[in-house]
Amino acid sequence: MSQTVQADFDVQDAIDAAGPGEIVHIPAGRYQGDFIVTKPITLQGEEGTELIGEGDNPALRIENTSKVTAENITLSGKNKAIVASNVDGLELRKLQIKNVHTGIHIQRSKNVRIDEVNVTGNDAHYSQKGNGLAVFKSEDIIIEGNTIERVQDGIYVEEVSRIVVQRNKVTSSRYGTHFMYTNDAEALFNTYIHNVTGLMIMMTTNILLENNIIANHVDFNGNGMLLYDVQQAKIKLNTIKNNRTGVALQKSSNIQIETNDFQMNQTALEGTKVSGDTTASDNSFTGNILTARSDKQGFQLVGNYYDDYSGIDLKDNGFGDVPYVALSSFGQWMVRQPVYQYFVASPSVILLTSLDQQINKTEKNMLIDNTPRLAMKDVEEKNKVNMVQMLLGIFLTLSSLWLWKRGITE
């Protein structure tokens, strides 16, 4: 079944001879074959250990077992690096995957952990590539600390319950992470740069997207995040910058977008057929061509900071006294025709924007923030800290003077 470059060691023989719970140490070398694990063991490679898939077979198959670990191995081949089916308790860590169509394919499994895996695809078109890490019909999954580049979808998730995707980096791929028909999911502290779309979420329920960096998705159909037919999502504390559209919502409900930093996007927020309970609050919008656009249904803007808001705060409560109107006719045209950006500061455009704001202040379905924040959230927090420090300094100074004077009088 296997041919090895390391002639004095047969990987499959070692796997077959190992008892449950044992560690199979694979010496450095390049081993070609269709290696299969069907028992609870650990495969542990040395520096320079590589498993190469034979023909269209995966380099490593793990099936119908439990408690399997594979670590410190390089995998390559024509088709898939690893295929795991019906496994309860799988750990894949510190793996290098290269020159394959698909990195890791997992199905009908549970209690799976994938961490510190590097997957490098090729320069072919996305349609001719597979996914970096893919999980189907499984539950209780953790995907953490992986680096993936030049694949179709970096992390593809379909029909999965309870999954955490965190501290991964995906670049130069179609979708950074793609959720389909999934529930109870989290994507935390990931970095998505230079993909077509950073996060694609479809037909998914109850998902948390927090503390991710999502930047430079500028293709014609590119988005930082796109949520389609999603219910119950929280988008929080993300940095979303330099995307064609920062966050796009379609046919979704109960979406909470809060305390995110939207920077230099062509359109920061876009909504189509979203429910009235969708809210964008306490976000910062700086350097975006267009803050928000939507169909007539609209969504709620509450207490956000906008760098193009020109109102004042006579009440001195930190919020503007007049509403912020996100609608901009010129902004809509400019997103469709980027060449219009060269006229952004012209007198006619300034007049048009002013008319938009005046005309649409009373429109209930337009994108209006009645409580626009006059300072970014982090600036406010720093000011609070500085005020506390100042008061503490004054107290200490007065206390020192009092003690000094008391010492003189005594």
Side-chain angles (χ1 to χ4, degrees):
M1 178 181 293
S2 65
Q3 299 173 352
T4 68
V5 174
Q6 184 91 11
D8 58 348
F9 187 84
D10 189 295
V11 175
Q12 191 62 55
D13 282 352
I15 292 171
D16 295 340
E22 289 187 0
I23 298 175
V24 176
H25 296 278
I26 307 175
R30 302 178 72 240
Y31 305 88
Q32 185 174 31
D34 175 17
F35 304 108
I36 304 174
V37 174
T38 58
K39 65 179 77 171
I41 61 172
T42 294
L43 299 182
Q44 191 175 80
E46 299 177 352
E47 184 177 352
T49 298
E50 181 175 355
L51 303 183
I52 305 168
E54 192 171 52
D56 289 331
N57 295 314
L60 177 63
R61 283 189 287 157
I62 305 167
E63 53 193 36
N64 304 318
T65 185
S66 62
K67 297 182 180 178
V68 172
T69 298
E71 60 185 1
N72 298 321
I73 300 171
T74 296
L75 301 107
S76 60
K78 182 179 177 181
N79 196 354
K80 297 179 176 69
I82 297 176
V83 174
S85 306
N86 302 306
V87 182
D88 182 357
L90 173 65
E91 291 193 32
L92 304 173
R93 58 175 178 255
K94 296 183 178 179
L95 305 176
Q96 301 289 330
I97 297 175
K98 61 181 183 178
N99 301 324
V100 294
H101 180 267
T102 297
I104 296 172
H105 180 106
I106 294 171
Q107 57 194 13
R108 300 184 302 277
S109 296
K110 58 184 179 180
N111 299 312
V112 175
R113 185 179 185 95
I114 305 173
D115 63 292
E116 296 186 63
V117 173
N118 292 336
V119 182
T120 303
N122 53 51
D123 293 325
H125 188 269
Y126 300 124
S127 62
Q128 298 177 6
K129 301 179 182 183
N131 300 312
L133 312 176
V135 185
F136 300 84
K137 297 183 178 179
S138 298
E139 59 188 48
D140 298 311
I141 312 294
I142 297 175
I143 299 175
E144 180 173 10
N146 305 286
T147 302
I148 305 167
E149 61 179 334
R150 302 206 307 272
V151 298
Q152 188 175 88
D153 294 350
I155 300 168
Y156 181 84
V157 179
E158 182 176 320
E159 292 188 59
V160 172
S161 296
R162 299 179 301 279
I163 180 169
V164 178
V165 176
Q166 62 186 9
R167 303 187 189 282
N168 304 283
K169 183 176 182 179
V170 184
T171 59
S172 303
S173 300
R174 187 184 67 164
Y175 303 148
T177 295
H178 189 178
F179 292 98
M180 292 272 290
Y181 303 106
T182 290
N183 61 81
D184 299 328
E186 298 181 4
L188 316 171
F189 296 97
N190 301 289
T191 299
Y192 302 109
I193 299 176
H194 285 301
N195 307 287
V196 176
T197 290
L199 280 155
M200 174 68 77
I201 301 127
M202 306 176 73
M203 287 76 77
T204 289
T205 303
N206 191 22
I207 185 168
L208 172 63
L209 309 169
E210 184 172 335
N211 277 301
N212 301 286
I213 296 173
I214 304 162
N216 301 330
H217 302 96
V218 294
D219 285 7
F220 181 75
N221 293 316
N223 301 277
M225 300 183 188
L226 193 152
L227 282 69
Y228 176 82
D229 196 7
V230 174
Q231 286 75 45
Q232 300 177 28
K234 180 171 284 189
I235 302 171
K236 184 177 181 182
L237 293 170
N238 302 283
T239 298
I240 304 166
K241 63 181 180 179
N242 196 31
N243 304 286
R244 190 173 189 275
T245 301
V247 174
L249 310 173
Q250 300 175 7
K251 294 180 63 178
S252 296
S253 62
N254 193 10
I255 312 298
Q256 306 304 313
I257 306 166
E258 59 185 55
T259 58
N260 301 283
D261 191 2
F262 291 88
Q263 305 174 25
M264 299 177 291
N265 302 281
Q266 291 187 36
T267 299
L269 275 176
E270 180 180 277
T272 306
K273 296 183 180 179
V274 297
S275 66
D277 56 9
T278 293
T279 303
S281 61
D282 293 320
N283 302 283
S284 294
F285 295 93
T286 57
N288 303 285
I289 294 176
L290 183 62
T291 298
R293 62 176 179 173
S294 73
D295 55 12
K296 292 183 179 180
Q297 199 162 322
F299 48 86
Q300 300 177 53
L301 298 174
V302 181
N304 301 289
Y305 169 79
Y306 311 92
D307 65 347
D308 59 343
Y309 177 69
S310 57
I312 57 176
D313 180 16
L314 295 176
K315 298 177 183 178
D316 196 27
N317 61 0
F319 298 95
D321 295 327
V322 296
Y324 173 82
V325 180
L327 181 70
S328 167
S329 299
F330 180 74
Q332 300 274 7
W333 297 337
M334 187 163 50
V335 170
R336 294 180 177 88
Q337 298 291 337
V339 70
Y340 288 175
Q341 65 186 295
Y342 297 113
F343 304 99
V344 68
S346 67
S348 58
V349 171
I350 293 172
L351 176 60
L352 177 61
T353 301
S354 177
L355 290 172
D356 277 335
Q357 292 176 344
Q358 295 301 319
I359 292 170
N360 292 294
K361 281 179 182 176
T362 59
E363 292 288 338
K364 294 182 179 180
N365 290 328
M366 291 296 103
L367 299 169
I368 297 173
D369 191 335
N370 290 305
T371 54
R373 193 177 295 276
L374 289 184
M376 290 185 284
K377 201 75 172 178
D378 58 345
V379 172
E380 289 186 347
E381 295 300 323
K382 287 178 183 177
N383 289 340
K384 288 179 183 178
V385 172
N386 290 338
M387 182 62 70
V388 171
Q389 291 174 339
M390 184 181 71
L391 292 174
L392 180 60
I394 292 171
F395 172 75
L396 291 173
T397 301
L398 292 175
S399 298
S400 299
L401 287 172
W402 180 77
L403 291 172
W404 177 68
K405 288 182 178 180
R406 183 177 178 183
I408 291 176
T409 56
E410 291 179 355

